[in-house]
């Protein structure tokens, strides 16, 4: 089709503002999906996506639309992931479009992620069409929200389109606006082929399926392709478009969105953001913006039953086929035996992987407390990256420890300013700036250590603001801090899975809190169990789990005191011997105690 009649756009919104519902409505109105085949969240294929109400995996669909002027248009909707952990994937999806529909909930107004995605879209040079969704709800305030959007974007509040994606109200008018306002793609079909890979998934029969937007040139069957970042070459097994199922077409031209079945065996070879070109006539340079996905949060995953180790490895291998950002390597723990050290994009990504392992592969797994990656500068001048507290070298050989800091944005009603300030200050956060994008609402920007953010910061923020505040974050920099390893010794043996890296000023309080919690959770044995917290080269807290005591004097019905003393001394010797050889069984709840240290 002539590029003048192609429109490539995406829908951006905060979580649960109706992005997937609007996508469904567009598919029905354009006849792409018949009403009899309807399901909620058509583009969200995973059960987890439907349950959590958030798009986890990006997708694309081609729609054919006849406008009011009688002209037929090809519309390519690229659905973006809906969570801040997948920010890079969102940026690549935006780079594949010329326009974005900004959806704002009429009952909730602008949220932090609305602003973050809007700034991404504007930074990518997209034409933004703002719409107000859920106008059918009794608590909707379309006039007030339209004014908020107008204040933010400039222009007239009357120009913001009110719609109800659920009822279909105003959606036909939105299709007309997409045709009128979103520019057609630019690109020369005769130039060397360049296609942006904005997502991929693994198919057991066709290998890795690359979702592509062709920027210039043409991709045809029979012509070998080359991936510019990895250097991998191959011949396409199938080329086609999403309608929304995969429909072979044999070729894709400049401006079009579709897929290339590469036949590759792993998604690591076909990365999001890479440029696909032809091996015979390669493009002189790749498309800008590519970067390798970098895990930010690390945790150990261990099978509850040691016999499931091989099954866990197989499950992680299969998950990695569809998720190139998931990394893992074997790890051994004294307390938990054999498992894997896994890297995730964020806490939500970790939660999704854990749930998929348990549901899809029927595994019982134990996850250790999440940690982040530290830069450790040694006295020898070497710099090491440490993602497990147990790997932190001895303090005597450390010159400096740097930890990752995040730039966070909290969008909240003004009334919660004080309680948010207190929460961030307690988590070692630093104030950066504040803005007032709408009356009565404030956008607070802070820098905060990632280690303080990943545990329960979001839960605390929601409870302190009654659910009104919303949060967005991105990596900012590594900063040098006075950090030490807090070790927990149980029965005088260090437990690596309970080790933490904490700020020196907080070591005593955290050590004492963790020791107190462990004292409640670890069951009594036949001998006394000492629980100690060590940090900075000394013991900073201790508690004892008292021994179960057998009444050895019960059989003494008479006799002098020396006989009783003899029996008690024998019992004491037995307990000492038992303490040397006895193993302390640590319950699973003890490993989760680290997560609940925050704000009890």
């Amino acid at each position: 089709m002539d590029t003048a009649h192609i429109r490539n756009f995406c829908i951006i919104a905060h979580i649960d503002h109706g992005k997937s519902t609007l996508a469904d409505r567009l598919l029905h109105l354009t006849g792409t999906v018949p009403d009899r085949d309807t399901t909620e969240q058509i583009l969200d294929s995973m059960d987890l996506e439907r349950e959590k109400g958030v798009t986890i995996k990006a997708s694309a669909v081609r729609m054919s639309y006849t406008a009011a002027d009688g002209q037929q248009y090809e519309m390519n909707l690229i659905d973006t992931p809906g969570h801040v952990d997948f920010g890079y994937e969102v940026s690549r999806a935006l780079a594949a479009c010329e326009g974005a529909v900004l959806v704002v909930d009429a009952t909730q107004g602008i949220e932090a992620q609305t602003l973050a995605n809007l700034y991404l879209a504007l930074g990518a040079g997209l034409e933004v069409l703002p719409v107000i969704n859920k106008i059918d709800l009794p608590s909707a305030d379309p006039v007030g929200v339209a004014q908020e959007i107008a204040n933010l974007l400039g222009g007239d509040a009357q120009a913001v389109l009110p719609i109800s994606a659920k009822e279909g109200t105003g959606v036909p008018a939105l299709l007309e606006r997409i045709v009128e306002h979103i520019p057609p793609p630019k690109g020369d079909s005769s130039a060397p082929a360049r296609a942006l890979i904005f997502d991929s998934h693994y198919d057991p029969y066709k290998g890795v399926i690359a979702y592509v937007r062709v920027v210039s040139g043409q991709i045809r069957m029979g012509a070998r392709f080359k991936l510019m970042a990895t250097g991998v070459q191959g011949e396409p097994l199938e080329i086609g478009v999403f309608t929304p199922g995969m429909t072979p077409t044999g070729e894709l031209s400049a401006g079009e969105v579709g897929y290339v079945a590469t036949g590759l065996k792993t998604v690591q070879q076909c990365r999001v953001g890479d440029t696909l070109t032809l091996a015979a006539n390669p493009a002189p340079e790749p498309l800008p913006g590519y970067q390798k996905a970098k895990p930010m949060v690390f945790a150990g995953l261990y099978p509850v039953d040691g016999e499931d180790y091989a099954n866990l490895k197989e499950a992680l291998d299969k998950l990695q086929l569809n998720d190139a950002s998931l990394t893992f390597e074997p790890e051994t723990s004294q307390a938990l035996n054999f498992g894997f050290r896994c890297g995730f994009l964020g806490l939500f990504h970790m939660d999704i992987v854990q749930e998929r392992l348990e549901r899809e592969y029927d595994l019982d797994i134990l996850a250790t407390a999440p940690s982040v990656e530290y830069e450790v500068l040694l006295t020898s001048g070497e710099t090491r990256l440490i993602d497990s507290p147990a790997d932190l070298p001895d303090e005597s050989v450390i010159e400096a420890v740097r930890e990752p800091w995040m730039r966070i944005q909290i969008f909240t009603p003004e009334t919660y300013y004080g309680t948010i300030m207190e929460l961030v200050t307690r988590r070692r956060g630093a104030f950066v700036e504040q803005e007032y994008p709408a009356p009565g609402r404030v956008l607070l920007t802070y820098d905060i250590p990632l280690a303080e953010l990943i545990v329960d910061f979001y839960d605390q923020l929601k409870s302190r603001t009654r659910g009104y505040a919303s949060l967005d974050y991105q990596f900012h920099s590594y900063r040098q801090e006075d950090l030490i390893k807090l070790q927990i010794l149980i029965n005088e043996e260090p437990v690596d899975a309970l080790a933490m890296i904490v700020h020196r000023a907080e070591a005593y309080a955290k050590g004492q809190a963790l020791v107190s919690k462990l004292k409640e959770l670890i069951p009594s044995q036949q001998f006394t169990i000492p629980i100690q917290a060590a940090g900075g080269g000394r013991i900073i807290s201790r508690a004892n789990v008292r021994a179960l005591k057998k009444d050895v004097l019960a059989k003494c019905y008479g006799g002098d005191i020396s006989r009783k003393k003899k029996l008690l001394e024998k019992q004491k010797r037995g307990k000492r011997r038992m303490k040397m050889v006895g193993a302390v069984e640590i319950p699973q709840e003890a490993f989760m105690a680290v997560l609940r240290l925050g704000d009890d």
Side-chain angles (χ1 to χ4, degrees):
M1 182 177 273
D2 180 10
T3 54
H5 299 131
I6 296 176
R7 298 291 182 270
N8 298 325
F9 70 100
C10 60
I11 304 173
I12 54 176
H14 190 75
I15 294 171
D16 207 28
H17 277 208
K19 181 165 66 74
S20 296
T21 310
L22 178 57
D24 292 353
R25 185 59 55 195
L26 292 172
L27 291 175
H28 289 314
L29 281 175
T30 55
T32 309
V33 175
D35 287 342
R36 67 174 182 274
D37 294 341
T38 190
T39 57
E40 285 189 8
Q41 294 166 257
I42 296 166
L43 297 180
D44 294 343
S45 53
M46 272 191 263
D47 288 340
L48 275 174
E49 290 181 310
R50 297 174 193 277
E51 284 175 26
K52 292 182 180 288
V54 53
T55 303
I56 295 164
K57 195 87 176 129
S59 56
V61 63
R62 176 184 285 192
M63 302 177 285
S64 184
Y65 173 64
T66 306
D69 59 5
Q71 181 64 53
Q72 194 168 36
Y73 289 87
E74 178 189 300
M75 289 186 166
N76 292 306
L77 165 60
I78 297 173
D79 195 21
T80 57
H83 194 274
V84 68
D85 279 2
F86 307 107
Y88 172 63
E89 285 83 347
V90 173
S91 75
R92 294 305 83 210
L94 292 177
C97 304
E98 280 74 39
V101 176
L102 176 69
V103 179
V104 182
D105 191 322
T107 61
Q108 296 179 22
I110 293 168
E111 303 263 23
Q113 218 177 319
T114 316
L115 291 169
N117 287 335
L118 173 63
Y119 295 150
L120 270 178
L122 293 173
L126 304 191
E127 181 69 34
V128 176
L129 295 180
V131 298
I132 300 169
N133 191 23
K134 304 189 184 180
I135 58 168
D136 54 304
L137 296 180
S139 56
D141 178 20
V143 176
V145 174
Q147 193 56 55
E148 273 187 36
I149 295 170
N151 294 343
L152 186 65
L153 289 173
D156 185 9
Q158 300 289 328
V160 182
L161 186 66
I163 66 163
S164 167
K166 190 176 181 182
E167 304 291 333
T169 312
V171 182
L174 174 61
L175 283 166
E176 286 296 321
R177 284 203 184 183
I178 290 169
V179 167
E180 290 167 20
H181 294 287
I182 292 179
K186 295 171 185 172
D188 183 1
S189 293
S190 59
R194 286 198 304 173
L196 171 68
I197 299 171
F198 61 86
D199 202 6
S200 64
H201 79 266
Y202 181 77
D203 183 282
Y205 303 104
K206 300 172 187 173
V208 177
I209 310 289
Y211 297 28
V212 297
R213 152 72 198 275
V214 184
V215 176
S216 62
Q218 292 182 321
I219 303 167
R220 288 196 176 96
M221 289 294 291
R224 285 181 69 79
F225 64 82
K226 178 184 177 183
L227 302 176
M228 298 186 80
T230 57
V232 175
Q233 295 190 18
E235 190 168 319
L237 303 182
E238 189 175 295
I239 296 173
V241 297
F242 298 100
T243 61
M246 293 196 297
T247 307
T249 59
E251 68 172 6
L252 289 170
S253 299
E256 292 188 315
V257 175
Y259 68 89
V260 177
T262 62
L264 300 175
K265 297 303 176 193
T266 67
V267 267
Q268 277 80 359
Q269 296 174 304
C270 182
R271 296 185 179 278
V272 172
D274 200 351
T275 303
L276 184 143
T277 187
L278 297 181
N281 181 24
E285 58 182 28
L287 295 163
Y290 169 73
Q291 62 187 66
K292 198 172 173 182
K294 186 176 185 295
M296 296 300 290
V297 174
F298 297 83
L301 294 184
Y302 294 85
V304 172
D305 184 347
E307 291 179 0
D308 283 338
Y309 176 78
N311 296 338
L312 176 58
K313 184 181 186 307
E314 187 183 341
L316 284 168
D317 278 330
K318 286 181 179 175
L319 275 187
Q320 202 179 43
L321 285 174
N322 279 314
D323 187 354
S325 54
L326 170 66
T327 62
F328 67 92
E329 58 184 30
E331 180 181 61
T332 309
S333 162
Q334 297 163 346
L336 303 171
N337 294 323
F338 296 103
F340 296 93
R341 190 80 187 161
C342 301
F344 309 94
L345 295 174
L347 216 56
F348 180 74
H349 186 212
M350 175 181 163
D351 185 36
I352 292 297
V353 169
Q354 203 174 333
E355 282 205 42
R356 289 189 69 185
L357 287 170
E358 288 172 351
R359 286 187 188 193
E360 296 174 24
Y361 302 98
D362 197 25
L363 290 167
D364 285 329
I365 55 174
L366 171 65
T368 62
S371 155
V372 300
E373 192 169 59
Y374 297 88
E375 279 185 357
V376 182
L377 178 64
L378 303 179
T379 49
S380 62
E382 181 194 350
T383 300
R384 271 195 218 164
L385 291 174
I386 303 291
D387 59 48
S388 172
D391 295 338
L392 191 71
D394 189 77
E395 230 177 309
S396 60
V397 299
I398 294 176
E399 184 72 35
V401 181
R402 302 187 194 104
E403 66 176 333
W405 279 60
M406 309 298 279
R407 173 68 51 93
I408 66 169
Q409 292 178 311
I410 300 171
F411 198 57
T412 177
E414 283 178 307
T415 47
Y416 301 112
Y417 193 116
T419 186
I420 290 170
M421 183 70 84
E422 188 212 349
L423 172 65
V424 177
T425 307
R426 284 181 66 179
R427 301 298 182 98
R428 298 193 284 129
F431 177 77
V432 177
E433 63 180 8
Q434 64 188 40
E435 295 173 41
Y436 292 87
R441 311 263 282 178
V442 61
L443 178 66
L444 299 168
T445 305
Y446 295 96
D447 288 343
I448 188 171
L450 178 57
E452 301 285 351
L453 190 67
I454 61 172
V455 180
D456 66 344
F457 182 87
Y458 185 69
D459 294 342
Q460 284 289 322
L461 179 67
K462 283 293 183 186
S463 62
R464 283 166 179 252
T465 60
R466 300 181 186 175
Y468 283 110
S470 55
L471 173 73
D472 183 70
Y473 54 88
Q474 57 274 331
F475 174 73
H476 186 249
S477 61
Y478 271 92
R479 294 191 193 179
Q480 185 174 327
E481 295 288 334
D482 187 11
L483 301 170
I484 60 169
K485 177 160 72 172
L486 179 68
Q487 273 197 305
I488 299 298
L489 293 85
I490 295 179
N491 200 20
E492 296 171 4
E493 288 289 327
V495 181
D496 51 3
L498 289 173
M500 302 164 67
I501 296 176
V502 298
H503 197 276
R504 193 181 296 273
E506 297 173 350
Y508 176 74
K510 287 198 171 179
Q512 196 173 39
L514 191 51
V515 163
S516 302
K517 265 198 175 146
L518 292 173
K519 184 185 175 185
E520 296 168 15
L521 293 169
I522 292 174
S524 299
Q525 307 279 339
Q526 292 286 343
F527 53 90
T528 300
I529 305 168
I531 304 170
Q532 298 163 300
R538 61 195 180 92
I539 301 295
I540 54 178
S541 183
R542 172 180 173 135
N544 287 342
V545 178
R546 293 181 64 181
L548 294 168
K549 196 166 183 181
K550 183 181 176 184
D551 188 1
V552 291
L553 303 180
K555 57 187 177 184
C556 289
Y557 51 87
D560 63 0
I561 191 71
S562 61
R563 187 177 174 208
K564 291 180 181 177
K565 280 183 176 177
K566 197 173 170 183
L567 285 169
L568 289 170
E569 196 58 44
K570 187 180 176 184
Q571 184 187 40
K572 201 183 287 182
R573 284 200 305 272
K575 285 191 183 295
R576 263 202 304 271
R577 193 165 63 250
M578 197 184 288
K579 185 176 180 177
M580 286 191 291
V581 297
V584 179
E585 195 166 306
I586 305 169
Q588 291 181 27
E589 297 81 39
F591 299 102
M592 291 298 101
V594 180
L595 288 173
R596 297 189 290 270
L597 283 182
D599 295 271
D600 284 1

